[in-house]
Amino acid sequence: MIHVAQKGEDKGRVVVHLCSGEPSHIALDAAVWLARAFQSEIEGLYVESQQLLELADFPFASEISFSGRARRQISREDLEREFRAASAAFHALVEKKALAAEVPVRPRVVRDESVAALSAVCAACGPWNAVALAEPFTSPACPPLKELLDTVLDATGLLVVGPRAARTAGPIVIALEYSELLPAMVAAAQRLAAVDEKHIAVFLVATDEVALMELDNATRLILHEHPNVELSGACLTFGAEAAAAEALRRLMPGLILARFGGLLISEKGDLRPLAASLECPLLLLR
């Protein structure tokens, strides 16, 4: 179950990560929402890429435009100047959003690789952190999701957005594949829903009719204890990851809760269908 330490406990925070590029306003809004739900603090983490700086030391290092028509030499000094400007802009934006929601925020700049930096910062903050990636998970600068979850052991959840992220308005949808996870997922959803009085819905995802029938029966028994949580539908994937992603998109959720390593976002599967369909933040639980 996801858990984030409350402010003042010094046992964890919502760690908002950016390495390069422009942060997504939707990702930052969702990170603030998560911090409010768990009465936590935000750690704004800007990571200066050590690898880029080392590459800039080579005399042949240059920057080429997307069109290929423009080219300029780069140096360590150029990169360090750009890092300083980008980190200042990032921290100013995070602070503005956090303070407007009365969420304490702390800025941090680390020169390292992203996964190593996140692992070290979460270990320093405490055992109960959530990591929020401030740019789409498809960005070349974003760390691989599996590597991040395998390595950053002091993170209980991972908040991501895709390149089409457009909203946090809408119901909280639990993409359920295993009924035994439902109580913990409902508990997390209820904390998030309490911030803005959002509706909670459960959407079942299964590979075939037999698995769906078993999941449906078990889910209905559990939801008897949660009358305010709706069972909103189901999807049979038959092995096609795109099926669940598209079915969830049609529900127009404001946030999706799912388990990493399942049918919606598998450990070794194709993330392109999810990236194309995801229009709201996705909170991944271990």
Side-chain angles (χ1 to χ4, degrees):
M1 176 182 173
I2 183 171
H3 180 71
V4 188
Q6 292 187 3
K7 56 188 175 185
E9 284 188 300
D10 288 329
K11 293 183 178 180
R13 301 187 185 105
V14 176
V15 180
V16 183
H17 165 278
L18 183 70
C19 184
S20 65
E22 293 292 327
S24 162
H25 283 264
I26 298 298
L28 298 184
D29 290 342
V32 171
W33 178 12
L34 185 61
R36 289 181 65 195
F38 285 88
Q39 300 178 6
S40 186
E41 302 176 7
I42 284 180
E43 183 94 2
L45 172 64
Y46 186 87
V47 179
E48 299 179 344
S49 173
Q50 182 65 38
Q51 185 178 36
L52 278 179
L53 289 168
E54 292 171 356
L55 288 172
D57 288 334
F58 289 100
F60 55 79
S62 59
E63 183 180 49
I64 301 174
S65 67
F66 285 114
S67 66
R69 297 174 182 174
R71 178 180 183 137
R72 72 178 179 96
Q73 295 296 118
I74 59 173
S75 65
R76 176 179 284 261
E77 291 74 19
D78 292 334
L79 280 179
E80 288 179 336
R81 189 181 308 111
E82 292 175 6
F83 284 155
R84 287 194 297 271
S87 64
F90 168 63
H91 286 135
L93 183 57
V94 173
E95 183 177 9
K96 179 180 178 181
K97 289 180 177 290
L99 294 184
E102 299 182 343
V103 173
V105 59
R106 305 183 190 185
R108 188 189 294 243
V109 178
V110 174
R111 182 168 294 180
D112 204 338
E113 298 311 312
S114 286
V115 173
L118 281 166
S119 184
V121 168
C122 286
C125 289
W128 300 320
N129 302 280
V131 171
L133 300 182
E135 56 192 316
F137 69 85
T138 52
S139 168
C142 267
L145 303 188
K146 185 179 187 307
E147 181 185 354
L148 194 158
L149 287 169
D150 285 347
T151 305
V152 186
L153 302 181
D154 295 296
T156 61
L158 174 61
L159 185 68
V160 302
V161 297
R164 298 183 61 188
R167 65 175 181 276
T168 56
I172 297 172
V173 176
I174 297 171
L176 185 68
E177 302 176 37
Y178 305 98
S179 60
E180 60 269 25
L181 299 178
L182 183 55
M185 295 178 85
V186 166
Q190 286 175 331
R191 293 196 70 155
L192 288 157
V195 174
D196 292 316
E197 298 183 352
K198 287 185 178 290
H199 177 66
I200 303 173
V202 177
F203 186 79
L204 307 181
V205 182
T207 54
D208 54 52
E209 289 91 345
V210 174
L212 178 59
M213 184 178 298
E214 294 175 352
L215 181 61
D216 184 270
N217 290 337
T219 299
R220 290 180 186 276
L221 286 174
I222 296 170
L223 289 186
H224 274 302
E225 301 177 7
H226 304 280
N228 294 328
V229 179
E230 174 191 2
L231 184 57
S232 64
C235 174
L236 292 173
T237 65
F238 297 107
E241 294 172 338
E246 175 58 20
L248 285 164
R249 184 191 67 81
R250 294 177 181 178
L251 295 175
M252 299 289 288
L255 177 73
I256 297 172
L257 268 68
R259 175 182 174 271
F260 180 76
L263 299 174
L264 177 64
I265 182 164
S266 62
E267 292 187 1
K268 298 180 180 180
D270 186 0
L271 298 181
R272 288 174 297 179
L274 181 64
S277 300
L278 189 62
E279 297 174 351
C280 69
L282 171 65
L283 180 57
L284 293 171
L285 311 183
R286 292 184 182 275

